[in-house]
Amino acid sequence: MASADEGSPAGPGPLPSAGPRGPVQLSDDAVAVVAGDGTVIGWTRGAQALLGYPAAEMVGRSAALLLAGPADPRRTAAIATRGRDGSGWSGLVALRGRDERQLDVDVRVSASFLIAGREGFMVSGRERNPRWTVDGSVLEEFLTRSPVGMAVLDPELRYIWLNDTLERFGGVPREQRLGRRPADVLPGLLAAPIERLMRQVLATGVPVTDYEYLGWSWLDPNRRRAYSSSFFPLVDAEENRIGIGYMVLDVTDRWNARRLLALVNEAGASIGSTLDVQRTAQELADFAVPRFADFVFVDLLETPLGRDRPGAPPLGSEAPGGRPPMRRMGMSSVREGCPEAVVRVGESVDFMPLPHDVHFLLDGDPVLLPMLDPESRAWAVEQPARAARIREFGLHSLISVPMRARDTVLGLTTFMRSQNPVPFDEDDVAPARELVARAAVCVDNARRYTREHTAALVLQESLLPHTLRGGAALDVASSYLPADAKDGVGGDWFDVIPLSGARVGLVIGDVVGHGISAAATMGRLRTAVQTLADMDLAPDELLARLDDLVMRLSEEEPAGGQADRGGTTVLGATCLYAVYDPATRCCTMARAGHPPPVIVTPQGAVSFPELPPGPPLGLGGLPFESVDVELSEGSLLGLYTDGLIEGPEKDVEQGRIRLGRAVSRDGLPLDELCAAVVKELLPVPQPDDIALLLARTHALSPDRLVSWDVPLDPAAVGATRNKVARQLESWGLDELTMTTELIVSELVTNAIRYASGPVRLRLLLQSVLTCEVSDASSTTPRLRHARTTDEGGRGLFLVAQLARRWGTRYTHQGKIIWAEQSLPPPPTGPPPVVPPPG
């Protein structure tokens, strides 16, 4: 039945293999012989029986006339090719019978052969899906063995038939059901709503499908199960309602899965709202009561355990009995005040479901105790206090679940029931496990955050100055406020650095970003500034050196920089450095992209000196400039970061006006003024860190400062020593006369011998005694280690041995070599009268 014009409605496509179908039984199939050109040359009675055409009507005609759809030449050619290759073909073909009836026929085409000198193909076929009938025995077997519980009830709702599955669901034998109503055989209160729905169906004729309810059966009365029921009316030939069809399906697994999903989803919105360990533990307890349990407590290990985790204590090193030290972090009960608890929140606890130990926390599955017996030895002897609470409050069932997250054991959560009479069963273990698993991740997140936050705070605390030492030159106060008050870590920084000659360096900076990376960068810059300031560099030169350092640090960053890792680089940091000299009341300042300072005179006038802006640190190639500002004694100098003046509206000019108004108020000590300024300008948290450094200036008293010009004559050294001795006597520092004379002698001799004039000696009495010798040379003095045969070269070595510290700083006129000595302890008696210098 294939020809050159034959096709299939399915269109061309892969041709099915003939092999798997096996040989066609010709005695049962319709068979025809088709020539290579598609002409029918043989027709059997089976073909006539299938399609209705007698042989006389088909032989000599094209087989394409039998197709029910349009011809597909490509498919026909492919079939013929397979036949000629000896493979044959089989598949489904839609054919049209003589009575115009369409049939789906399984067709098989044989390999080609020669018949009477012509190419031929034998084509056999059989109609698909033969009709069959179901006898009563098959139907009875189907109904009886169906996995769906089925029953038929009469209009009085009495059972008249039920299958084996329904009998098994209810646990009531068939003979005890027949002739009785559901209310007579179903447990508890389940029958009332079921009978109500059945009567509704009888009255309205409208089926009720998929009615879900919870219950239990007499077969397993201790386990709650979920069922889905459907009810539909049974009618006779006259459409009279003669009974009820009843179908029941056990959907406990589906119900438990849905319940678990809903519980976990709801828990996700209630547990872990903060990064606080105790708050998270309490949220878990509050969520589970009364949804899941009547009494819940969460005990966390004081030291989390983990296999192969550095620092984890070895197993067996815990408290006696193999119970690791834990602390109660959360607890909730249906009873106010949690009277069932033996241990309160915050107290140490050693509870472990007996007879388990720490290995249960590391490897164990949840423990289910459906029935608690307080009279058993495990409770009465080993846990007598808890046994008493079990008896008193009727605690009857328990589930304990280890809290583990990321291979770390965090603690134990225990669920108990008392007022809820239904005991925990195996179906409750999965919800308990999921609740604890979700909470454990939140607890671990909070624990990790707390640990890292503590480390960040320790880092920041170690990097910021603990005390600010302005000496006799300045009174100082500071305030620091991170962008996130809870985080407490930022990149703003400040420092007060004592310098030689009673001078004081003030520095403030702002590192881009927040958090621990910004704090670490801030620490690097602060250390660098302290090192550079100790070299007595001028502010503009210090910033230039600092800019070079930042450039090198940025070049050392790996590809992508720290920004790709959620951190920050030092590029773009800002800084302001000022040096105040109380002897001259001159303040020298330079800035690198930082806001200018605020100055308040003793009369209350506010100004923001116009300093050359300078580029932010890390750009490189651009100069920095210093500006000298003379400050009256008692002036207020304020250094701040931009977060203090930007405010929510980002108006810097208005922020400066508010800052000037705030710092110019009278009558407040410096510490209180600093705190009040920050509170006034930032009443609510801001998105940027802020730092404020306030300094009240003092001038060095004239009676604490003397200076002499020294002639360029070696003979002048002796006279200079005598002047120094008389001055120390007037200051009451006779104990320092000998060492000071030696220091002055060496420094003045070196200046006369190796430098150019003028040479000047200055003594400053402050918290230390400072000797300064200035000259016009810029040559750096060098400390030498003279040999025993050398006649000289020991001057600076002697100075270094006698002085507390010494150094060199450069000025526009040359250099100054200075040496400091500690003052002797004050006498216990009344202070001596110090005469004026003369």
Side-chain angles (χ1 to χ4, degrees):
M1 292 181 287
S3 70
D5 297 326
E6 181 185 348
S8 170
L15 299 175
S17 171
R21 298 184 58 83
V24 177
Q25 300 296 327
L26 298 182
S27 59
D28 299 328
D29 291 357
V31 179
V33 179
V34 180
D37 61 0
T39 304
V40 177
I41 58 177
W43 190 260
T44 65
R45 290 185 178 180
Q48 180 177 345
L50 178 63
L51 298 174
Y53 292 99
E57 293 184 17
M58 286 305 303
V59 174
R61 302 181 67 185
S62 173
L65 298 174
L66 301 173
L67 295 176
D72 188 343
R74 288 182 297 170
R75 189 179 183 107
T76 301
I79 293 172
T81 299
R82 292 190 62 156
R84 294 185 182 106
D85 293 341
S87 301
W89 178 86
S90 63
L92 182 65
V93 178
L95 301 179
R96 183 175 61 249
R98 194 169 187 270
D99 57 357
E100 298 299 326
R101 180 170 58 94
Q102 180 172 320
L103 301 86
D104 290 330
V105 180
D106 283 319
V107 173
R108 176 165 180 162
V109 180
S110 71
S112 63
F113 54 89
L114 291 177
I115 179 172
R118 300 179 64 183
E119 181 186 46
F121 300 86
M122 186 171 66
V123 181
S124 60
R126 177 182 296 180
E127 184 179 8
R128 174 166 286 192
N129 295 330
R131 297 175 181 174
W132 57 280
T133 59
V134 180
D135 59 21
S137 63
V138 174
L139 185 58
E140 178 68 22
E141 188 72 11
F142 164 72
L143 294 175
T144 300
R145 296 183 179 274
S146 170
V148 179
M150 301 180 185
V152 177
L153 292 82
D154 65 14
E156 300 300 324
L157 305 185
R158 294 183 294 241
Y159 288 99
I160 58 177
W161 176 87
L162 67 153
N163 67 353
D164 295 346
T165 305
L166 186 62
E167 182 180 14
R168 185 175 67 254
F169 281 171
V172 179
R174 180 182 278 103
E175 58 272 12
Q176 294 183 21
R177 284 201 186 220
L178 296 177
R180 306 177 72 178
R181 291 171 44 194
D184 299 328
V185 296
L186 293 181
L189 303 176
L190 296 178
I194 290 176
E195 289 193 355
R196 177 178 56 80
L197 290 174
M198 288 181 176
R199 291 191 181 93
Q200 174 184 320
V201 171
L202 278 174
T204 63
V206 179
V208 173
T209 59
D210 200 21
Y211 167 68
E212 286 192 5
Y213 60 92
L214 295 177
W216 50 274
S217 70
W218 294 109
L219 186 65
D220 187 8
N222 294 320
R223 188 174 185 185
R224 184 171 55 177
R225 306 198 67 84
Y227 300 98
S228 174
S229 298
S230 298
F231 313 97
F232 52 91
L234 300 176
V235 296
D236 57 15
E238 287 77 26
E239 297 295 324
N240 297 315
R241 300 181 191 123
I242 60 174
I244 285 288
Y246 175 26
M247 303 177 69
V248 183
L249 186 63
D250 188 331
V251 294
T252 302
D253 292 340
R254 182 180 76 185
W255 186 85
N256 284 336
R258 194 168 58 208
R259 170 195 177 206
L260 176 59
L261 180 61
L263 191 70
V264 171
N265 286 340
E266 190 177 354
S270 302
I271 301 174
S273 61
T274 66
L275 286 173
D276 181 86
V277 173
Q278 183 168 352
R279 177 75 176 272
T280 303
Q282 187 61 46
E283 287 174 346
L284 169 60
D286 291 340
F287 177 81
V289 175
R291 290 179 180 88
F292 185 72
D294 297 328
F295 177 45
V296 177
F297 50 90
V298 182
D299 301 330
L300 299 183
L301 291 165
E302 294 187 359
T303 303
L305 301 175
R307 225 182 290 278
D308 301 327
R309 186 175 61 80
L315 297 181
S317 63
E318 300 83 13
R323 299 175 185 173
M326 295 191 289
R327 191 167 298 276
R328 183 144 299 172
M329 301 299 286
M331 184 167 60
S332 184
S333 171
V334 292
R335 298 177 175 89
E336 186 176 356
C338 300
E340 307 96 324
V342 176
V343 176
R344 314 311 299 179
V345 172
E347 297 179 354
S348 297
V349 61
D350 63 350
F351 174 76
M352 193 77 63
L354 300 173
H356 299 281
D357 56 17
V358 69
H359 294 276
F360 159 66
L361 295 178
L362 287 170
D363 305 306
D365 292 326
V367 171
L368 167 65
L369 299 177
M371 301 298 294
L372 296 178
D373 181 9
E375 307 304 328
S376 66
R377 184 183 185 282
W379 291 102
V381 176
E382 300 189 34
Q383 299 280 347
R386 292 187 173 89
R389 301 297 172 90
I390 290 173
R391 283 191 297 269
E392 181 180 357
F393 296 100
L395 299 168
H396 61 79
S397 189
L398 172 148
I399 296 179
S400 283
V401 185
M403 295 188 73
R404 294 188 284 258
R406 304 180 180 98
D407 296 326
T408 300
V409 181
L410 304 173
L412 180 70
T413 300
T414 301
F415 306 88
M416 304 183 79
R417 281 182 179 170
S418 56
Q419 293 183 1
N420 185 346
V422 179
F424 288 121
D425 57 27
E426 292 292 343
D427 292 335
D428 295 311
V429 173
R433 189 199 301 266
E434 289 299 322
L435 281 178
V436 173
R438 178 174 288 272
V441 173
C442 297
V443 168
D444 191 50
N445 288 341
R447 182 183 65 86
R448 290 169 181 258
Y449 166 78
T450 301
R451 182 180 61 194
E452 294 177 4
H453 180 237
T454 301
L457 289 178
V458 171
L459 173 63
Q460 173 119 4
E461 185 178 356
S462 67
L463 295 178
L464 288 175
H466 294 175
T467 58
L468 300 176
R469 295 179 300 163
L474 297 171
D475 295 329
V476 291
S478 65
S479 180
Y480 172 77
L481 187 65
D484 182 357
K486 295 180 180 179
D487 182 41
V489 181
D492 289 4
W493 56 286
F494 54 87
D495 209 347
V496 177
I497 307 171
L499 302 174
S500 64
R503 298 168 307 130
V504 178
L506 301 173
V507 60
I508 193 164
D510 186 355
V511 175
V512 178
H514 315 290
I516 191 168
S517 294
T521 300
M522 171 268 289
R524 300 166 82 177
L525 293 183
R526 177 172 179 258
T527 301
V529 169
Q530 287 182 329
T531 303
L532 295 172
D534 196 52
M535 296 170 63
D536 275 320
L537 297 178
D540 55 343
E541 187 176 355
L542 183 144
L543 291 181
R545 299 278 188 94
L546 189 63
D547 184 55
D548 293 339
L549 174 64
V550 170
M551 288 288 292
R552 289 197 300 272
L553 292 177
S554 300
E555 292 171 358
E556 292 173 3
E557 292 291 340
Q562 291 182 355
D564 294 343
R565 306 191 299 271
T568 177
T569 65
V570 294
L571 191 65
T574 66
C575 183
L576 186 150
Y577 182 61
V579 175
Y580 175 68
D581 188 346
T584 61
R585 293 185 288 104
C586 177
C587 184
T588 305
M589 296 176 279
R591 61 177 177 143
H594 203 83
V598 58
I599 297 176
V600 182
T601 66
Q603 294 75 31
V606 178
S607 63
F608 291 85
E610 290 297 328
L611 306 182
L617 299 174
L619 298 184
L622 298 175
F624 299 93
E625 298 181 41
S626 295
V627 170
D628 294 334
V629 178
E630 185 175 343
L631 300 177
S632 303
E633 183 173 6
S635 297
L636 181 67
L637 177 65
L639 279 62
Y640 55 91
T641 54
D642 54 6
L644 187 66
I645 60 173
E646 285 184 346
E649 71 281 356
K650 302 295 182 181
D651 189 334
V652 175
E653 289 302 321
Q654 287 297 320
R656 288 184 182 181
I657 294 174
R658 290 196 301 268
L659 173 61
R661 185 168 54 245
V663 297
S664 61
R665 67 177 67 181
D666 295 327
L668 286 179
L670 202 59
D671 287 341
E672 295 182 16
L673 176 63
C674 191
V677 169
V678 173
K679 184 176 181 180
E680 178 179 339
L681 297 184
L682 301 174
V684 296
Q686 298 296 317
D688 196 8
D689 309 322
I690 70 101
L692 174 63
L693 179 62
L694 296 181
R696 184 85 65 186
T697 63
H698 299 288
L700 193 63
S701 174
D703 61 350
R704 297 300 179 106
L705 171 65
V706 294
S707 62
W708 300 276
D709 290 326
V710 180
L712 293 177
D713 183 357
V717 175
T720 303
R721 284 200 305 266
N722 293 334
K723 294 178 182 178
V724 169
R726 287 194 301 271
Q727 184 61 49
L728 293 180
E729 182 182 0
S730 68
W731 281 344
L733 299 177
D734 300 272
E735 295 181 31
L736 299 181
T737 300
M738 182 180 296
T739 57
T740 306
E741 285 183 342
L742 284 173
I743 292 173
V744 168
S745 179
E746 294 297 335
L747 295 181
V748 170
T749 298
N750 282 344
I752 293 174
R753 180 176 300 175
Y754 301 110
S756 58
V759 175
R760 187 170 182 81
L761 169 65
R762 189 169 74 161
L763 296 183
L764 297 94
L765 177 59
Q766 206 181 22
S767 58
V768 294
L769 177 64
T770 304
C771 301
E772 295 182 349
V773 176
S774 62
D775 58 55
S777 172
S778 59
T779 304
T780 303
R782 184 167 57 92
L783 182 66
R784 296 173 53 194
H785 293 277
R787 292 171 297 184
T788 56
T789 57
D790 291 343
E791 296 182 0
R794 298 180 178 85
L796 287 181
F797 179 78
L798 289 175
V799 172
Q801 297 300 311
L802 296 174
R804 174 174 173 264
R805 64 178 190 138
W806 73 280
T808 304
R809 69 176 184 270
Y810 295 90
T811 65
H812 298 298
Q813 293 79 28
K815 69 175 182 295
I816 297 175
I817 303 177
W818 55 268
E820 292 179 355
Q821 298 179 79
S822 299
L823 300 181
T828 56
V833 178
V834 179

